[in-house]
Amino acid sequence: MVDHAPVPAPTDSNDRQTICIVGAGAAGLAALHVLTSAPEAVAGRWSVTALEQRHDVGGTWLPDPAPAPPDPLDPDAPPPLSPLYESITANLPHPVMRFPGLRFPPGTPLFPRAPAVAEYLRAYADRFGLRRHIRLRTTLLSARWTGAAWAVRTRTAAAPAAGTEGAEGTEGGKGEEEVEEEERLYDRLVIANGHYRVPFVPPLPGLAAWQRAGRATHAAWYRAAPAALAGKKVLVVGGGPTGADLAAELAAVCATLVHAVPRDEGAGAVATSASSAPLQEGGNVTLRGRAVRFSEDAPGERTVHFADGRAPETDIDHVFLATGYVLAFPFLAPPDLLPGLPPSSPLETEPLPTHLHCSGAHVFPLAMGLFPLTAAFPPDRAAFVGLPLKVAPFPLCAAQARAVARVFSAPGALDVPREREAIIARAAALSADPAIGEDPARLARAWPRLGVHEQFAHRDALHAFAGARERVPRWVPRVYESLDALRAAWRGVVARGEEGAWCAREGESEEGSLLRD
């Protein structure tokens, strides 16, 4: 291991700026493309570097096919580098999903499988010459605001020899490799490390004991239905697309499948998936409400209680937790980022909290959903890209990156007082929902979730702020409003064995027959 003293950022009279992007998944690639295409970068006044801990670009879409099993005795053991399971399919049609400036190749299934998305992201990096700006196998250990710059400490693993194991480097747990640590100073930081890495495990009574016994596993470790569960009784907890996929796969293997779908907070049915139809009660499938307690009264007891008031489920052999993920930025520390919920609701205090907080569900407060409003450092010195949920992430990240480029170029363009008012107004609008009210935790969970029309209005506003003429195509919101029907139609295409014929017929059509009214 080699340690280096901090390498200073350039300080020449031409105002040369160094920018560090954390991550080379979809969000990081979008930021890298926009920032390296900016006039300042073309003129040599910006130097942009992206740090990626894995052996290639792609982020979540780059699979980790054989992760080490969860350690029941070490809850802090690192989770898989990606939660992708073998059957996962994009939940958006690719004409809606894609970045501006690059379509998916002709013949791509309407809802592409993970390998096609990973190849698309690699093609994006190649098409726009982004790889020369990316440091692969580089883990960000810490990023600390010094008062004038970001001190960024990294660990870079040497690339393995050709034909040997260890493509992921030390972060993949593939063995010992030579590593190099260094610290560099950057003027600005773009945080785009994603939000599908650290599993969320609900704090339900008894669940930790089931995990320690190896009877409960988060979906982050799931890859395919284990043959060992044949003839068993399995519980899937979670009503999102992952829960729908896992429940459908496991129902084809196990003797009894119990699917626990939360029915509070406005959630009354399982989410739709492009690859799996929602299961119906009957046969070997039982649908239940929210799980509330895992019995631990006696050794070996395998009973789960639910909020629906019916009798508990007994003799559960294994539980899969499709319960989502938490935001995590382990490289940031106080005072730059504080853990937990903000000390008070934005409806109860003016001004907003003086420091940036990460609750695990949201980062708050951020101007335009991007720029930290904190006393620790100026808002134009950092940006969080890719945080919104329930959106078309690729094109939204590209729009966010354009707004970031404008603020990095002209910090005065960010109207901080107006953005503070917008944050308070949004908090008031969300709190008006009886399912949220002024409960800080529920408000935090709702904060990054944008409604169908809200996400497109936000995207257009970002483009307008950046001075770009691009706007969301008018057919895209109509597609979003019909996603459930579109997913069902696509499942029918696949079930009839017509996927290949559809792909050949559609070619490069942006809308395609399934996208038109």
Side-chain angles (χ1 to χ4, degrees):
M1 181 183 297
V2 180
D3 287 305
H4 294 281
V7 178
T11 57
D12 58 329
S13 59
N14 293 324
D15 294 328
R16 179 177 167 86
Q17 299 284 300
T18 52
I19 301 171
C20 177
I21 299 173
V22 184
L29 290 175
L32 185 58
H33 175 40
V34 170
L35 292 174
T36 56
S37 301
E40 292 84 354
V42 174
R45 297 194 300 274
W46 284 358
S47 175
V48 188
T49 301
L51 309 177
E52 171 53 54
Q53 75 174 76
R54 304 193 64 190
H55 70 286
D56 202 357
V57 302
T60 295
W61 293 100
L62 181 64
D64 183 7
D71 185 346
L73 301 180
D74 183 7
D76 296 322
L81 294 167
S82 168
L84 285 188
Y85 43 95
E86 293 177 7
S87 65
I88 194 168
T89 298
N91 220 23
L92 292 175
H94 65 77
V96 173
M97 180 182 187
R98 71 173 180 87
F99 284 121
L102 184 66
R103 297 182 180 186
F104 276 75
T108 300
L110 184 63
F111 291 90
R113 294 177 176 84
V117 180
E119 181 56 36
Y120 172 81
L121 292 173
R122 287 191 289 269
Y124 186 81
D126 293 336
R127 170 74 173 272
F128 298 109
L130 304 181
R131 290 186 183 272
R132 66 180 181 270
H133 303 283
I134 302 171
R135 294 174 56 190
L136 296 173
R137 299 182 178 85
T138 299
T139 300
L140 176 57
L141 302 177
S142 64
R144 175 178 51 85
W145 179 250
T146 67
W150 290 97
V152 173
R153 190 164 186 81
T154 59
R155 178 191 295 127
T156 301
T164 63
E165 295 294 324
E168 291 289 1
T170 56
E171 291 303 310
K174 305 294 186 181
E176 294 296 325
E177 292 179 348
E178 182 179 352
V179 297
E180 180 176 341
E181 289 192 8
E182 69 176 8
E183 185 171 281
R184 290 180 178 267
L185 298 178
Y186 291 89
D187 295 293
R188 289 181 166 84
L189 187 68
V190 177
I191 299 151
N193 61 315
H195 39 58
Y196 294 114
R197 178 73 196 280
V198 179
F200 170 70
V201 176
L204 299 176
L207 181 53
W210 283 51
Q211 289 182 285
R212 289 192 297 271
R215 294 204 307 268
T217 307
H218 194 276
W221 279 270
Y222 179 92
R223 294 298 177 266
L229 293 180
K232 305 292 186 179
K233 186 174 183 179
V234 178
L235 168 65
V236 173
V237 178
T242 297
D245 285 345
L246 268 61
E249 287 189 15
L250 291 162
V253 173
C254 62
T256 303
L257 188 286
V258 181
H259 192 186
V261 181
R263 300 177 187 277
D264 59 349
E265 300 182 26
V270 67
T272 60
S273 163
S275 54
S276 303
L279 293 178
Q280 303 297 318
E281 181 97 25
N284 72 330
V285 174
T286 299
L287 301 182
R288 298 299 302 262
R290 180 169 53 91
V292 296
R293 183 165 64 89
F294 291 72
S295 291
E296 52 181 344
D297 299 330
E301 186 176 2
R302 297 177 290 140
T303 300
V304 181
H305 302 258
F306 300 85
D308 55 20
R310 293 154 54 191
E313 295 288 340
T314 59
D315 301 321
I316 298 289
D317 293 296
H318 200 81
V319 178
F320 286 99
L321 302 168
T323 48
Y325 299 84
V326 296
L327 292 172
F329 309 97
F331 46 86
L332 294 174
D336 300 326
L337 182 67
L338 276 58
L341 290 164
S344 59
S345 165
L347 298 179
E348 298 171 354
T349 180
E350 177 63 35
L352 295 174
T354 57
H355 285 79
L356 194 66
H357 293 258
C358 177
S359 66
H362 77 330
V363 178
F364 187 89
L366 295 174
M368 303 181 72
L370 292 167
F371 306 104
L373 299 179
T374 171
F377 52 86
D380 63 290
R381 291 307 187 103
F384 287 79
V385 172
L387 294 183
L389 300 174
K390 303 297 183 182
V391 298
F394 293 10
L396 179 57
C397 287
Q400 288 183 315
R402 286 179 170 174
V404 170
R406 177 159 189 225
V407 169
F408 282 5
S409 175
L414 184 63
D415 188 337
V416 172
R418 184 175 66 181
E419 292 302 322
R420 290 181 180 275
E421 292 175 0
I423 290 171
I424 294 171
R426 186 162 191 267
L430 289 173
S431 297
D433 183 343
I436 298 172
E438 295 188 19
D439 182 314
R442 293 190 178 191
L443 183 61
R445 289 194 296 271
W447 194 262
R449 299 172 184 271
L450 303 185
V452 171
H453 295 286
E454 184 182 11
Q455 69 156 312
F456 299 125
H458 181 54
R459 205 160 104 194
D460 282 345
L462 290 170
H463 284 306
F465 172 80
R469 299 179 61 183
E470 181 177 333
R471 295 295 183 271
V472 177
R474 287 182 294 178
W475 57 268
V476 171
R478 295 202 303 271
V479 169
Y480 242 84
E481 292 170 352
S482 305
L483 272 179
D484 286 351
L486 186 56
R487 290 166 183 154
W490 182 250
R491 292 195 299 267
V493 168
V494 174
R496 294 190 298 272
E498 299 172 356
E499 182 178 3
W502 186 94
C503 293
R505 182 175 66 248
E506 289 308 308
E508 294 187 355
S509 169
E510 272 286 80
E511 297 184 53
S513 60
L514 289 181
L515 295 178
R516 295 197 179 107
D517 290 338

